Amino acid sequence: EPEVTQTPSHQVTQMGQEVILRCVPISNHLYFYWYRQILGQKVEFLVSFYNNEISEKSEIFDDQFSVERPDGSNFTLKIRSTKLEDSAMYFCASSAGGHSNQPQHFGDGTRLSIL
Amino acid sequence: DAKTTQPNSMESNEEEPVHLPCNHSTISGTDYIHWYRQLPSQGPEYVIHGLTSNVNNRMASLAIAEDRKSSTLILHRATLRDAAVYYCIPHSNTGNQFYFGTGTSLTVIP
């Protein structure tokens, strides 16, 4: 069964450094998402991406964050200058469509630890 | 999106059926009801979704109340691998994002 894959599984970075989290969505999917989950808290939406542009973003997704689909397969989340509070699990997801009947399929996440 | 209410935790004996309830009284007419689960140290996993009719797949069944203000996820025979947090998520067409609540933490007792 096709799946969303994320790399790396764990990233440790010094505060203030840039970090790029990578995702390979399911191949025929058109909508891509990033969520995050701080330890012990809810899964929170960050951004959705369709047709090479951001379609929706949350308040968390400020100017320090950016997303890109650099080629036909990868989808990346960049945090320009990391802060301690960016430490979390980051989940990528994809869906075939944007309608409410379309499930989103999630990867197993990247654990980001900011020192 | 509609607010949901789920029990914080539930227990089930292995190989017995489990009924996980969810109230979503403010759901709108076009919102699909999605269920996801999250095993420890993993991403959310899609389980099932439906609009009005009851739905079955290889993982579970979804029973939706006639007024759509509540639904129940049914695991027919719980296994140890079903121990997870289960999320009920009404999803509208007005946005792409899924709103995850705190879910129900299911413990399966051998």
Side-chain angles (χ1 to χ4, degrees):
Chain A
E1 189 168 320
E3 57 182 25
V4 174
T5 56
Q6 292 187 241
T7 55
S9 56
H10 191 190
Q11 173 81 46
V12 181
T13 301
Q14 292 286 333
M15 185 173 60
Q17 296 296 304
E18 175 184 287
V19 66
I20 298 175
L21 309 182
R22 302 180 194 278
C23 168
V24 179
I26 294 173
S27 64
N28 62 345
H29 282 184
L30 301 176
Y31 289 76
F32 314 109
Y33 313 87
W34 284 100
Y35 290 78
R36 80 171 186 191
Q37 187 174 31
I38 295 170
L39 185 64
Q41 298 188 24
K42 299 178 188 178
V43 176
E44 301 174 289
F45 170 79
L46 293 178
V47 66
S48 61
F49 191 85
Y50 169 70
N51 202 25
N52 265 336
E53 59 184 32
I54 291 173
S55 50
E56 195 176 348
K57 61 182 180 179
S58 71
E59 291 178 354
I60 303 167
F61 194 88
D62 61 21
D63 293 344
Q64 295 298 315
F65 291 88
S66 61
V67 290
E68 193 177 33
R69 189 154 161 81
D71 53 42
S73 59
N74 290 286
F75 179 51
T76 62
L77 174 70
K78 182 193 291 187
I79 308 175
R80 186 163 48 231
S81 177
T82 50
K83 304 188 280 276
L84 293 175
E85 53 264 39
D86 294 326
S87 295
M89 285 292 293
Y90 287 81
F91 297 110
C92 172
S94 68
S95 63
H99 191 269
S100 63
N101 72 344
Q102 294 293 319
Q104 295 178 12
H105 297 271
F106 288 74
D108 277 339
T110 293
R111 179 176 302 282
L112 178 62
S113 300
I114 307 301
L115 304 180
Chain B
D1 282 54
K3 182 174 166 51
T4 60
T5 304
Q6 298 180 253
N8 287 332
S9 61
M10 291 183 65
E11 283 186 353
S12 172
N13 293 320
E14 195 176 9
E15 298 190 5
E16 291 192 356
V18 184
H19 290 232
L20 297 160
C22 180
N23 286 321
H24 32 76
S25 57
T26 60
I27 195 169
S28 73
T30 56
D31 291 359
Y32 276 74
I33 300 154
H34 292 250
W35 281 80
Y36 282 74
R37 69 181 186 181
Q38 188 173 23
L39 279 66
S41 301
Q42 293 189 24
E45 177 187 21
Y46 167 74
V47 178
I48 200 167
H49 74 288
L51 184 63
T52 55
S53 307
N54 295 344
V55 185
N56 300 294
N57 67 19
R58 64 177 176 82
M59 289 182 72
S61 295
L62 176 59
I64 301 172
E66 202 169 320
D67 63 5
R68 293 193 359 106
K69 293 184 177 182
S70 65
S71 61
T72 302
L73 180 71
I74 303 164
L75 306 179
H76 295 286
R77 285 180 73 239
T79 70
L80 298 178
R81 290 179 302 166
D82 291 323
V85 179
Y86 286 79
Y87 301 98
C88 152
I89 308 175
H91 186 45
S92 78
N93 281 324
T94 59
N96 299 136
Q97 59 177 291
F98 277 18
Y99 289 94
F100 287 82
T102 52
T104 296
S105 178
L106 175 67
T107 301
V108 180
I109 302 166

Coordinates of all heavy atoms in Angstrom, one line a residue, chain A residues 11-42:
Chain A
Q11 N 15.8 14.9 13.9 CA 16.8 16.0 13.5 C 17.1 16.8 14.8 O 16.1 17.2 15.5 CB 16.1 16.9 12.5 CG 16.9 18.1 12.1 CD 18.0 17.8 11.2 OE1 17.8 17.2 10.2 NE2 19.1 18.4 11.4
V12 N 18.3 16.9 15.1 CA 18.8 17.7 16.2 C 19.5 18.9 15.7 O 20.4 18.8 14.8 CB 19.7 16.9 17.2 CG1 20.1 17.8 18.3 CG2 19.0 15.7 17.6
T13 N 19.1 20.1 16.1 CA 19.6 21.4 15.5 C 19.8 22.4 16.6 O 19.1 22.4 17.6 CB 18.6 21.9 14.5 OG1 18.4 21.0 13.4 CG2 19.1 23.2 13.8
Q14 N 20.9 23.2 16.4 CA 21.1 24.3 17.4 C 20.1 25.4 17.1 O 19.7 25.7 15.9 CB 22.5 24.9 17.2 CG 23.6 23.9 17.6 CD 23.7 23.8 19.1 OE1 23.4 24.7 19.8 NE2 24.2 22.6 19.6
M15 N 19.6 26.1 18.2 CA 18.7 27.2 18.1 C 19.3 28.3 17.1 O 20.5 28.5 17.2 CB 18.5 27.8 19.4 CG 17.5 28.9 19.5 SD 17.2 29.4 21.2 CE 18.8 29.9 21.8
G16 N 18.5 28.8 16.3 CA 18.9 29.8 15.3 C 19.4 29.3 14.0 O 19.5 30.0 13.0
Q17 N 19.6 28.0 13.9 CA 19.9 27.3 12.6 C 18.7 27.1 11.8 O 17.6 26.9 12.3 CB 20.7 26.0 12.9 CG 22.0 26.2 13.6 CD 23.0 27.0 12.8 OE1 23.3 26.6 11.6 NE2 23.5 28.1 13.3
E18 N 18.9 26.9 10.5 CA 17.9 26.6 9.5 C 17.8 25.1 9.5 O 18.8 24.3 9.6 CB 18.3 27.1 8.1 CG 17.3 26.7 7.0 CD 17.8 27.2 5.7 OE1 17.7 28.4 5.4 OE2 18.2 26.3 4.9
V19 N 16.5 24.6 9.3 CA 16.3 23.1 9.2 C 15.3 22.9 8.0 O 14.4 23.7 7.8 CB 15.8 22.5 10.5 CG1 14.5 23.1 10.9 CG2 15.8 21.0 10.5
I20 N 15.6 21.8 7.3 CA 14.6 21.4 6.2 C 14.2 20.0 6.5 O 15.0 19.1 6.7 CB 15.3 21.5 4.9 CG1 15.7 22.9 4.5 CG2 14.4 21.0 3.8 CD1 16.5 23.1 3.2
L21 N 12.9 19.9 6.6 CA 12.3 18.5 6.8 C 11.7 18.1 5.4 O 11.1 18.9 4.7 CB 11.1 18.6 7.8 CG 11.5 19.3 9.2 CD1 10.4 19.2 10.1 CD2 12.8 18.6 9.8
R22 N 11.9 16.8 5.1 CA 11.5 16.3 3.8 C 10.4 15.3 3.8 O 10.4 14.5 4.8 CB 12.8 15.8 3.1 CG 13.9 16.8 3.0 CD 15.1 16.2 2.3 NE 16.3 17.2 2.5 CZ 16.5 18.2 1.8 NH1 15.6 18.5 0.8 NH2 17.5 19.0 2.0
C23 N 9.7 15.3 2.8 CA 8.5 14.4 2.7 C 8.4 13.9 1.3 O 8.6 14.7 0.3 CB 7.3 15.1 3.2 SG 5.7 14.3 2.8
V24 N 8.0 12.7 1.1 CA 7.6 12.2 -0.2 C 6.2 11.8 -0.1 O 5.9 10.7 0.5 CB 8.5 11.0 -0.7 CG1 8.0 10.5 -2.1 CG2 10.0 11.4 -0.8
P25 N 5.3 12.5 -0.7 CA 3.8 12.2 -0.6 C 3.5 11.0 -1.5 O 4.3 10.5 -2.2 CB 3.1 13.5 -1.1 CG 4.2 14.5 -1.1 CD 5.5 13.8 -1.3
I26 N 2.3 10.5 -1.3 CA 1.8 9.4 -2.2 C 1.7 9.9 -3.6 O 1.3 11.1 -3.9 CB 0.4 8.9 -1.7 CG1 0.6 8.2 -0.3 CG2 -0.2 7.9 -2.7 CD1 -0.6 7.8 0.4
S27 N 2.2 9.1 -4.6 CA 2.6 9.6 -5.9 C 1.4 10.3 -6.7 O 1.7 11.3 -7.4 CB 3.2 8.5 -6.7 OG 2.2 7.5 -7.0
N28 N 0.2 9.9 -6.6 CA -0.8 10.5 -7.4 C -1.7 11.5 -6.6 O -2.7 12.0 -7.1 CB -1.8 9.4 -8.0 CG -2.5 8.6 -6.9 OD1 -2.1 8.6 -5.8 ND2 -3.5 7.9 -7.3
H29 N -1.2 11.9 -5.4 CA -1.9 12.9 -4.6 C -1.6 14.3 -5.1 O -0.5 14.5 -5.6 CB -1.6 12.7 -3.1 CG -2.3 11.5 -2.5 ND1 -2.2 11.2 -1.2 CD2 -3.1 10.6 -3.1 CE1 -3.0 10.1 -1.0 NE2 -3.5 9.7 -2.1
L30 N -2.5 15.2 -4.9 CA -2.4 16.5 -5.3 C -2.3 17.6 -4.2 O -1.9 18.7 -4.5 CB -3.6 16.9 -6.3 CG -3.7 16.0 -7.5 CD1 -5.0 16.4 -8.3 CD2 -2.5 16.1 -8.4
Y31 N -2.7 17.2 -3.0 CA -2.8 18.1 -1.9 C -1.8 17.7 -0.8 O -1.7 16.5 -0.6 CB -4.2 18.2 -1.3 CG -5.2 18.8 -2.1 CD1 -5.8 18.2 -3.2 CD2 -5.7 20.1 -1.9 CE1 -6.7 18.8 -4.1 CE2 -6.6 20.8 -2.7 CZ -7.1 20.1 -3.8 OH -8.1 20.7 -4.6
F32 N -1.1 18.6 -0.3 CA 0.0 18.3 0.6 C -0.1 19.2 1.9 O -0.6 20.3 1.8 CB 1.4 18.5 0.0 CG 1.4 17.9 -1.4 CD1 1.5 18.7 -2.5 CD2 1.4 16.5 -1.6 CE1 1.5 18.1 -3.8 CE2 1.4 15.9 -2.8 CZ 1.5 16.8 -3.9
Y33 N 0.3 18.6 3.0 CA 0.0 19.3 4.3 C 1.2 19.0 5.2 O 1.9 18.0 5.2 CB -1.2 18.7 5.0 CG -2.4 18.5 4.1 CD1 -2.6 17.3 3.4 CD2 -3.4 19.5 4.0 CE1 -3.7 17.2 2.5 CE2 -4.5 19.3 3.2 CZ -4.7 18.2 2.5 OH -5.7 18.0 1.7
W34 N 1.4 20.0 6.1 CA 2.3 19.8 7.3 C 1.5 20.1 8.6 O 0.7 21.1 8.6 CB 3.5 20.7 7.2 CG 4.5 20.3 6.3 CD1 4.7 20.8 5.0 CD2 5.5 19.3 6.5 NE1 5.8 20.2 4.4 CE2 6.3 19.3 5.3 CE3 5.9 18.5 7.5 CZ2 7.4 18.4 5.1 CZ3 6.9 17.6 7.3 CH2 7.7 17.5 6.2
Y35 N 1.7 19.2 9.5 CA 1.1 19.3 10.9 C 2.3 19.2 11.9 O 3.3 18.6 11.5 CB 0.1 18.2 11.2 CG -1.2 18.3 10.4 CD1 -1.3 17.9 9.1 CD2 -2.4 18.7 11.0 CE1 -2.5 17.9 8.4 CE2 -3.6 18.8 10.3 CZ -3.6 18.4 9.0 OH -4.8 18.4 8.3
R36 N 2.1 19.7 13.1 CA 3.1 19.4 14.1 C 2.4 19.0 15.4 O 1.2 19.2 15.6 CB 3.9 20.6 14.4 CG 3.3 21.7 15.3 CD 4.2 22.7 15.7 NE 3.6 23.6 16.7 CZ 4.1 24.8 17.0 NH1 5.3 25.2 16.5 NH2 3.5 25.5 17.9
Q37 N 3.1 18.3 16.2 CA 2.6 17.8 17.5 C 3.7 18.0 18.6 O 4.7 17.3 18.6 CB 2.2 16.4 17.5 CG 1.5 15.9 18.7 CD 0.9 14.5 18.6 OE1 1.5 13.7 17.9 NE2 -0.2 14.2 19.3
I38 N 3.5 19.0 19.4 CA 4.4 19.2 20.6 C 4.1 18.1 21.5 O 3.0 17.6 21.7 CB 4.2 20.6 21.2 CG1 4.6 21.7 20.2 CG2 5.0 20.7 22.5 CD1 4.2 23.1 20.6
L39 N 5.2 17.6 22.2 CA 5.1 16.5 23.1 C 3.9 16.6 24.1 O 3.8 17.6 24.8 CB 6.4 16.3 23.9 CG 6.5 15.0 24.7 CD1 6.4 13.8 23.9 CD2 7.8 15.1 25.6
G40 N 3.0 15.6 24.1 CA 1.9 15.6 25.0 C 0.7 16.5 24.6 O -0.2 16.6 25.4
Q41 N 0.8 17.1 23.4 CA -0.3 18.1 23.0 C -0.9 17.5 21.8 O -0.6 16.5 21.2 CB 0.3 19.5 22.8 CG 0.9 20.1 24.1 CD 1.3 21.5 23.9 OE1 0.8 22.2 23.0 NE2 2.2 22.0 24.8
K42 N -1.9 18.3 21.3 CA -2.7 17.9 20.1 C -1.9 18.0 18.8 O -0.9 18.8 18.8 CB -3.9 18.8 20.0 CG -4.9 18.8 21.1 CD -6.0 19.8 20.8 CE -6.9 20.0 22.0 NZ -8.0 20.9 21.8

